[in-house]
Amino acid sequence: MRVLVVGRGGREHALAWRLAQDPEVEGVVTAPGNPGTAWVGENEPEATEEDAQALVDAVRRRGVDLVVIGPEAPLVAGVADRLREAGVTVLGPGAAAARLEGSKAFAKELMAGAGVPTAPFAVCDSPASAHRAVDRMGAPIVVKADGLAAGKGVTVAMDRAEAHAAVEEAMVERRFGAAGERVVLERFVPGPEASAFALCDGEAFELWPSARDHKRLETGDLGPNTGGMGAVTPAPVPDSEAWRRVGEEVIAPTLRALGRAGAPFVGILYAGLKWTPDGPVVLEFNVRLGDPEAQALVMTMRGAVARAFDAAARGRLAPGRLAFAGAGAAVVAAAPGYPGAPRTGGRIEGLDAAERGALPDTALFLAGVGRKADDWVVEGGRVLAAAAWAERPWEAAARAYARLSAVRFEGMQVRSDIGRA
Ligand code: GLY
């Protein structure tokens, strides 16, 4: 089987790395890819994520059997639909189902209608109605821009003043552009976070083990929110027995509701959860794998990965093809100034040595890394991650730190408590 992965981040490097090890995969192409995906396959640098025609051309030219779409933007833009119309087998939902991530109001209304546990909420189309809702609902409260805001657009407001300011920022100052024309206000839910992923074929699904994303920049869960500074799988909470409730209470009713709405979900459904004394409460849905969670999960993934993805893409998921063993961790190295204003251009030392001197059961996944003459340079906010497998999450994290220790760049930001926090 020949597989094409769409995207250019650490998640896509991790997917390409795992697929390239599958004995049933003859070759992996990543479009457009990054220097790390070129280590494990070939890149199609001209075929960017939202250019459906370029992706179809690459599929035909390279005899690709299966396309796996990594990021949310092309899914929300309908790239999976365009590829399916061209006869391509795709793992990734069409635009109608991708609204689950593209519109937080759509997701909340679908959850409310389907009985999926989620916090009380209000959808507001004007600043005046949003301010009234803040006064009515009180604080702490979460203010969310309705549309895609590149990982930003969500404010956890501890008091009403902060919530009113977040409404102004989204709806009046238009900090997130059209994404903030509508906001969703949601009652704050306390408790530990966990990320759930399910491989879905439109009706059936296979729930994967839990993962935990460490979103705060600094050790001790301090500092601003980021796209994720590290991840472990399984998550510390809940245990695997309780985790099964996510399938029954979250994934199954969501898939049924999408099916009834004529928007069957084919792809990897991601529920961001809080674990409360009553069980899971959904904070948000995403319509793709999480990043950095994917980088930890691929370390534990066993079995016929490509065949499982292909079967789901064809609407014929056969549970049991995929298995997960032990624990995984990923530790992110971020650029100086990240997440506010990452400073790029700095030289990365030790990357070649780190790549050659590989420790067993570890990997380096590149994200914001570029090439300048003979040097590796910082090109994005989250630069790279080291990932590892072990029996337990803290051991996997220790191995990931060991793999990362050879890499250095000026102002490198790394949390020291992944797997222990
Ligand atoms: N782990 C957060 C995200 O992928 O959106």
Side-chain angles (χ1 to χ4, degrees):
M1 194 186 306
R2 293 184 67 79
V3 186
L4 185 144
V5 176
V6 177
R8 63 177 83 201
R11 167 185 45 215
E12 288 76 33
H13 185 180
L15 279 170
W17 174 87
R18 183 62 189 83
L19 286 161
Q21 293 171 48
D22 187 327
E24 291 178 299
V25 172
E26 291 158 45
V28 180
V29 180
T30 309
N34 68 31
T37 57
W39 291 340
V40 295
E42 291 179 77
N43 286 351
E44 274 282 347
E46 305 303 322
T48 52
E49 293 89 332
E50 292 183 43
D51 187 343
Q53 190 54 53
L55 292 170
V56 171
D57 292 345
V59 164
R60 299 225 166 101
R61 198 166 0 93
R62 292 181 177 268
V64 165
D65 304 290
L66 171 69
V67 172
V68 179
I69 300 183
E72 62 277 16
L75 295 166
V76 172
V79 168
D81 300 304
R82 300 288 88 72
L83 295 184
R84 286 195 183 97
E85 282 156 19
V88 177
T89 304
V90 188
L91 186 69
R99 285 187 75 203
L100 216 45
E101 180 163 357
S103 166
K104 295 190 169 56
F106 173 80
K108 292 292 283 189
E109 277 154 9
L110 184 125
M111 284 190 262
V116 173
T118 191
F121 67 100
V123 177
C124 304
D125 285 305
S126 72
S129 66
H131 287 303
R132 277 197 303 275
V134 168
D135 287 333
R136 194 173 61 245
M137 292 170 73
I141 187 169
V142 186
V143 182
K144 299 178 173 181
D146 179 54
L148 287 188
K152 303 190 172 91
V154 176
T155 303
V156 180
M158 297 318 286
D159 55 42
R160 281 192 168 103
E162 207 185 332
H164 287 302
V167 167
E168 288 290 302
E169 189 180 47
M171 304 189 90
V172 180
E173 294 157 27
R174 295 177 64 87
R175 170 136 182 248
F176 315 111
E181 277 170 4
R182 166 183 284 178
V183 298
V184 174
L185 302 173
E186 186 183 74
R187 178 138 336 131
F188 175 77
V189 181
E193 283 191 22
S195 304
F197 301 96
L199 180 64
C200 306
D201 75 356
E203 286 181 13
F205 69 93
E206 190 165 26
L207 179 67
W208 295 357
S210 62
R212 164 94 191 273
D213 178 14
H214 296 275
K215 290 206 177 71
R216 299 275 185 174
L217 179 69
E218 292 162 23
T219 300
D221 254 345
L222 301 171
N225 259 336
T226 69
M229 293 298 290
V232 292
T233 174
V237 177
D239 62 31
S240 53
E241 192 54 37
W243 189 243
R244 285 220 286 262
R245 290 180 59 181
V246 176
E248 290 149 27
E249 296 171 27
V250 174
I251 307 294
T254 302
L255 293 185
R256 282 196 298 271
L258 284 169
R260 281 195 300 274
F265 189 98
V266 176
I268 297 167
L269 180 58
Y270 166 176
L273 307 169
K274 279 279 175 94
W275 202 267
T276 74
D278 296 327
V281 171
V282 179
L283 299 181
E284 64 176 20
F285 278 117
N286 296 312
V287 296
R288 36 80 194 177
L289 262 173
D291 193 0
E293 294 97 315
Q295 302 182 49
L297 276 161
V298 294
M299 304 309 293
T300 65
M301 223 178 243
R302 306 286 180 263
V305 178
R307 198 132 46 99
F309 285 6
D310 185 67
R314 292 174 193 276
R316 294 200 292 262
L317 184 70
R321 283 196 172 125
L322 264 187
F324 294 84
V331 177
V332 170
Y338 176 79
R343 289 196 297 285
T344 58
R347 200 165 78 189
I348 305 171
E349 313 272 4
L351 194 48
D352 290 312
E355 187 43 32
R356 275 197 306 274
L359 299 165
D361 292 324
T362 69
L364 274 183
F365 296 130
L366 306 191
V369 174
R371 249 348 212 172
K372 198 168 164 194
D374 286 337
D375 288 334
W376 296 104
V377 292
V378 171
E379 208 176 70
R382 283 188 295 176
V383 179
L384 53 86
W389 178 90
E391 288 294 339
R392 287 174 285 267
W394 67 267
E395 290 171 326
R399 279 192 194 177
Y401 279 113
R403 181 75 189 262
L404 192 59
S405 63
V407 179
R408 291 170 307 284
F409 54 86
E410 202 180 316
M412 176 166 158
Q413 303 191 81
V414 179
R415 273 182 66 154
S416 62
D417 59 350
I418 305 303
R420 289 189 286 111

